[in-house]
């Protein structure tokens, strides 16, 4: 697998349009599933944090002058062949270090302590007993509930390090060298099952490193605007706007920075939801005062989709045509200096843990070859690329954008084309749009919209028999899909109350011509997917 790290991170961290906050934490990623959580927790505490792979060159770290370094956990044991290791010189930078789980063993190894595979592994909740008076555990009671996951144990802490805590399974659950400000913990302070984990992180950042909580969305906006201006100068920026959260927030941020030198292009691909094009135009032109370039290419897309039933073919046709339309519009505008994208942090960071499902399932649609070429030549601006989705929503709120836009359910690029099963026709799209609109309206009315990750209707190209009045009908089926999820990697079907489903079904059958049956999809992901195609 090709690593984004390998491509872009050979020298300095590529910050693109982002000014470096003066105080920041570098997290060296050893592949833990919790690495991103560490970054989030640190930022929630008001300190900017970013993740780099464990093999990020020492020279670069030296140049970047971090205020603190955190060594993440990882799936490996130090005793496995090829276990990730770092140069011990990192500890000579004079920067405070906190090693978490695997990070603890990295410290023990570097300072010539000893560790070994443990007889009994420790996973899940555990109680540690704190010894002594380390600043790392300041303000905490002697017994603490923590979250462990380790198969090794420290048998002898390195010289100069005190044992700061122990658990039933690990005599050494935390070590520290106050003078050098280097600490290691066996447990995961970033996980909420570690009851006082936040306090441990606070102690490290504020007591030990002496940082101040100055990072906030407001400061992010100010520094981003400044950085965008410095980069774009009096140039122009082209942006593909879908009306979704990420591209919309990017548009508003860029507009604040460079005003009408931003060219947001919104392409109607003919497979948008009911009234969607009109809503996006109204929202962006009237309320957010953007000079939207609206391209109605629906006829082109629908013509290409004619007769196509295969889901992958539909996706490819739409993806390819979108690039064609976008390029044509760019040519019409004339030359532009930069391309902007609403890329988020999880889109660019590939965890070193290549076993995670995210690596195989997630396709980096903002990293197609043409875009990569532009990135190499410094022509791409991605102001959100250090942020998580919930941070982007908060950023949008800070920018004064309406919640109704910021909390919209995700909508796939291929749109309704992958929700009309089989061939996509105007008639089927119309039926689906009406049914989908009723479903969403009722979900909003029932106050369920926010707790549901995604809800939508699917048009099934099968007909079933029904009876309406005294007449026999033979019409199409609409499937309703609603799921709960945290990241779309896994999902459960949502338990929508009976009376809501009843109302939706009644309304669809009575109000949408061509539908006489409504079914509810009760499949989880995996093994199903959220979309049907
Ligand atoms: P699946 O169906 O794979 O979907 O469980 C996971 C999430 O991704 C969305 N999705 C897409 N988003 N382009 C997108 O921008 C696509 O081609 C695409 N396919 C699926 C889907 O709606 C869900 O949120």
């Amino acid at each position: 697998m090709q690593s984004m790290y390998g491509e872009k991170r050979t020298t300095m961290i590529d910050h693109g349009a982002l000014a470096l906050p003066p105080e920041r934490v570098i997290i060296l990623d050893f592949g833990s599933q919790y690495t991103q959580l560490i970054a989030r927790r640190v930022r929630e505490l008001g300190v900017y944090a970013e993740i780099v792979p464990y093999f990020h060159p020492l020279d670069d770290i030296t140049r970047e002058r971090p205020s603190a370094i955190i060594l993440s956990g990882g799936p490996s044991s130090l005793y496995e062949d090829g276990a990730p290791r770092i140069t011990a010189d990192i500890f000579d930078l004079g920067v405070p270090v906190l090693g978490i789980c695997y990070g603890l063993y990295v410290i023990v190894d570097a300072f010539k302590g000893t560790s070994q595979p443990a007889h009994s592994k420790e996973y899940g909740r555990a109680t540690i007993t704190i010894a002594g008076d380390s600043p790392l555990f300041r303000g905490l009671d002697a017994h603490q509930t923590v979250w462990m996951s380790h198969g090794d144990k420290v048998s002898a802490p390195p010289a100069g390090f005190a044992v700061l805590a122990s658990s039933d399974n690990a005599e050494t659950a935390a070590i520290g060298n106050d003078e050098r400000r280097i600490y290691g913990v066996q447990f995961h302070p970033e996980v909420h099952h570690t009851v006082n984990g936040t306090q441990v992180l606070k102690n490290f950042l504020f007591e030990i490193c002496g940082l101040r909580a100055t990072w906030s969305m407001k400061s992010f906006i100010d520094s981003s605007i400044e950085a965008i201006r410095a980069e774009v100068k009096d140039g122009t920026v082209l942006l593909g706007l879908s009306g979704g959260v990420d591209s919309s927030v990017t548009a508003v941020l860029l507009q604040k920075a460079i005003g009408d030198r931003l060219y947001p292009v919104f392409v109607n691909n003919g497979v948008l939801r009911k009234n969607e094009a009109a809503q996006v135009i109204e929202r962006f032109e009237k309320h957010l005062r953007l000079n939207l370039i609206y391209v109605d290419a629906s006829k082109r897309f629908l013509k290409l989709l004619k007769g196509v039933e295969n889901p992958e073919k539909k996706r490819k046709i739409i993806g390819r045509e979108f690039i064609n339309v976008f390029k044509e519009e760019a040519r019409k505008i004339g030359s532009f200096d930069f391309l902007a994208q609403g890329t988020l942090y999880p889109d660019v960071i590939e965890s070193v843990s290549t076993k995670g499902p995210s690596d195989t399932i997630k396709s980096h649609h903002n990293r197609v070859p043409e875009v990569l070429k532009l990135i190499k030549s410094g022509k791409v601006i991605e102001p959100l690329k250090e942020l998580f989705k919930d941070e982007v929503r908060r950023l949008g709120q800070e920018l004064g954008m309406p919640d109704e836009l910021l909390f919209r359910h995700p909508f796939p690029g291929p749109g309704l084309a992958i929700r009309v099963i089989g061939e996509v026709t105007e008639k089927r799209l119309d039926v689906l749009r009406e049914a989908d609109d009723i479903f969403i309206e009722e979900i909003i009315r029932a106050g369920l919209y926010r707790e549901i990750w995604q809800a939508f209707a699917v048009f099934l190209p099968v007909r079933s028999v029904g009876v309406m009045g005294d007449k026999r009908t033979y019409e199409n089926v609409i499937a309703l899909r609603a799921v709960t999820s945290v990241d779309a990697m896994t999902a459960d079907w949502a338990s929508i109350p009976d009376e809501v489903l009843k109302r939706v079904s009644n309304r669809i059958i009575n109000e949408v011509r061509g539908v006489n049956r409504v079914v509810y999809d009760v499949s989880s992901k995996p093994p199903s997917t959220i979309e049907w195609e």
Side-chain angles (χ1 to χ4, degrees):
M1 164 185 290
Q2 197 174 30
S3 158
M4 296 310 298
Y5 288 150
E7 277 160 29
K8 352 192 328 270
R9 299 200 174 227
T10 47
T11 55
M12 293 275 283
I13 296 176
D14 169 17
H15 287 89
L18 191 78
L20 281 179
E23 292 187 337
R24 57 195 193 287
V25 174
I26 284 186
I27 299 165
L28 291 188
D29 181 18
F30 290 92
S32 164
Q33 55 179 323
Y34 301 131
T35 304
Q36 296 198 358
L37 205 52
I38 304 174
R40 181 186 300 226
R41 292 279 176 266
V42 172
R43 288 191 207 172
E44 280 167 0
L45 291 171
V47 178
Y48 184 71
E50 74 180 292
I51 301 170
V52 297
Y54 70 89
F55 50 79
H56 192 63
L58 180 67
D59 282 354
D60 293 349
I61 297 178
T62 312
R63 256 200 306 269
E64 287 149 14
R65 290 192 288 125
S67 322
I69 294 172
I70 296 180
L71 311 176
S72 85
S76 315
S77 156
L78 213 58
Y79 301 96
E80 284 168 14
D81 278 348
R85 284 170 192 275
I86 52 172
T87 158
D89 295 345
I90 207 160
F91 299 102
D92 293 330
L93 295 175
V95 176
V97 178
L98 174 66
I100 294 174
C101 198
Y102 187 82
L104 162 71
Y105 294 98
V106 172
I107 295 171
V108 171
D109 188 50
F111 287 91
K112 312 242 174 315
T114 52
S115 58
Q116 62 192 69
H119 292 304
S120 55
K121 300 185 188 310
E122 197 172 17
Y123 293 100
R125 263 193 200 82
T127 303
I128 57 163
T129 304
I130 294 169
D133 178 31
S134 161
L136 191 64
F137 295 131
R138 193 151 294 160
L140 299 186
D141 292 340
H143 299 289
Q144 291 292 323
T145 303
V146 300
W147 189 256
M148 295 275 199
S149 79
H150 65 105
D152 292 346
K153 67 181 211 178
V154 178
S155 32
F161 281 78
V163 174
L164 307 180
S166 57
S167 74
D168 284 350
N169 264 319
E171 273 169 41
T172 306
I175 58 169
N177 181 325
D178 289 338
E179 198 185 322
R180 299 193 63 167
R181 298 189 296 174
I182 297 173
Y183 298 86
V185 291
Q186 178 69 84
F187 59 89
H188 288 275
E190 70 278 21
V191 174
H192 81 262
H193 303 292
T194 296
V195 177
N196 288 313
T198 304
Q199 187 60 42
V200 175
L201 291 174
K202 265 188 186 168
N203 285 345
F204 176 66
L205 297 172
F206 306 126
E207 297 273 329
I208 293 166
C209 305
L211 302 181
R212 290 160 308 141
T214 52
W215 193 81
S216 66
M217 269 311 156
K218 173 83 179 65
S219 68
F220 178 85
I221 292 173
D222 293 344
S223 61
S224 297
I225 288 177
E226 209 177 293
I228 292 166
R229 284 182 182 151
E231 189 167 3
V232 176
K233 299 194 179 73
D234 52 6
T236 51
V237 179
L238 188 70
L239 167 76
L241 188 85
S242 69
V245 180
D246 309 339
S247 62
S248 301
V249 173
T250 306
V252 172
L253 188 63
L254 278 161
Q255 186 209 27
K256 275 210 174 350
I258 59 164
D260 59 10
R261 280 178 292 117
L262 170 70
Y263 292 86
V265 178
F266 170 51
V267 177
N268 182 345
N269 58 9
V271 282
L272 301 177
R273 284 163 293 190
K274 187 178 174 184
N275 296 332
E276 190 162 16
Q279 277 168 6
V280 172
I281 295 168
E282 153 117 6
R283 186 173 290 142
F284 283 91
E285 287 193 336
K286 279 217 182 113
H287 301 304
L288 299 171
R289 303 202 172 282
L290 248 79
N291 286 327
L292 199 62
I293 298 163
Y294 173 60
V295 189
D296 183 357
S298 43
K299 293 262 174 327
R300 279 170 68 164
F301 280 87
L302 293 179
K303 203 165 151 199
L304 289 169
L305 287 169
K306 207 163 180 199
V308 181
E309 291 187 1
N310 181 294
E312 272 315 294
K313 269 200 188 140
K314 289 185 197 173
R315 283 169 180 275
K316 287 215 172 87
I317 289 170
I318 293 170
R320 217 179 306 129
E321 194 58 6
F322 179 82
I323 292 185
N324 292 339
V325 173
F326 199 71
K327 274 190 186 157
E328 284 170 28
E329 285 311 306
R331 273 198 292 273
K332 276 189 212 157
I333 296 165
S335 65
F336 66 92
D337 302 299
F338 296 91
L339 174 75
Q341 299 199 117
T343 313
L344 304 193
Y345 200 43
D347 301 332
V348 277
I349 280 292
E350 270 183 12
S351 169
V352 184
S353 53
T354 50
K355 296 177 194 103
S358 56
D359 292 317
T360 46
I361 296 171
K362 186 142 194 151
S363 63
H364 298 289
H365 57 273
N366 291 349
R367 289 289 179 272
V368 294
E370 279 174 311
V371 173
L372 282 175
K373 223 161 55 191
L374 285 175
I375 290 176
K376 273 209 179 106
S377 55
K379 292 277 180 204
V380 176
I381 294 187
E382 298 178 312
L384 312 184
K385 80 165 186 237
E386 315 285 339
L387 303 183
F388 295 100
K389 191 86 168 186
D390 57 331
E391 291 178 315
V392 170
R393 290 192 165 123
R394 274 196 283 126
L395 172 62
Q397 285 174 320
E398 191 75 42
L399 287 166
M401 297 171 69
D403 277 5
E404 149 205 339
L405 191 166
L406 298 173
F407 289 88
R408 270 162 54 118
H409 289 174
F411 186 62
L416 300 184
I418 56 169
R419 293 179 181 172
V420 168
I421 307 308
E423 189 187 0
V424 180
T425 64
E426 298 245 27
K427 195 158 166 252
R428 288 175 169 187
L429 284 169
D430 283 342
V431 169
L432 177 60
R433 282 189 181 109
E434 293 303 324
D436 187 70
D437 189 56
I438 290 171
F439 188 29
I440 298 300
E441 197 176 293
E442 291 299 334
I443 282 200
I444 293 172
R445 184 177 301 172
L448 300 169
Y449 189 80
R450 284 256 191 129
E451 68 194 61
I452 288 173
W453 169 268
Q454 230 171 332
F456 53 89
V458 181
F459 179 96
L460 306 188
V462 287
R463 292 203 287 170
S464 79
V465 173
V467 54
M468 256 187 181
D470 289 333
K471 274 211 183 107
R472 177 184 181 277
T473 58
Y474 186 48
E475 289 178 323
N476 285 109
V477 182
I478 284 287
L480 303 177
R481 179 80 163 137
V483 296
T484 54
S485 176
V486 279
D487 54 10
M489 303 308 296
T490 60
D492 283 324
W493 56 274
S495 307
I496 295 179
D498 286 358
E499 63 272 16
V500 178
L501 286 176
K502 216 177 272 175
R503 206 162 37 241
V504 174
S505 161
N506 276 342
R507 281 195 58 195
I508 291 177
I509 290 171
N510 286 319
E511 295 174 32
V512 185
R513 284 188 76 156
V515 179
N516 67 352
R517 193 174 296 268
V518 173
V519 297
Y520 189 59
D521 181 349
V522 287
S523 343
S524 294
K525 172 184 180 176
S528 299
T529 50
I530 295 176
E531 303 290 345
W532 276 45
E533 283 197 337

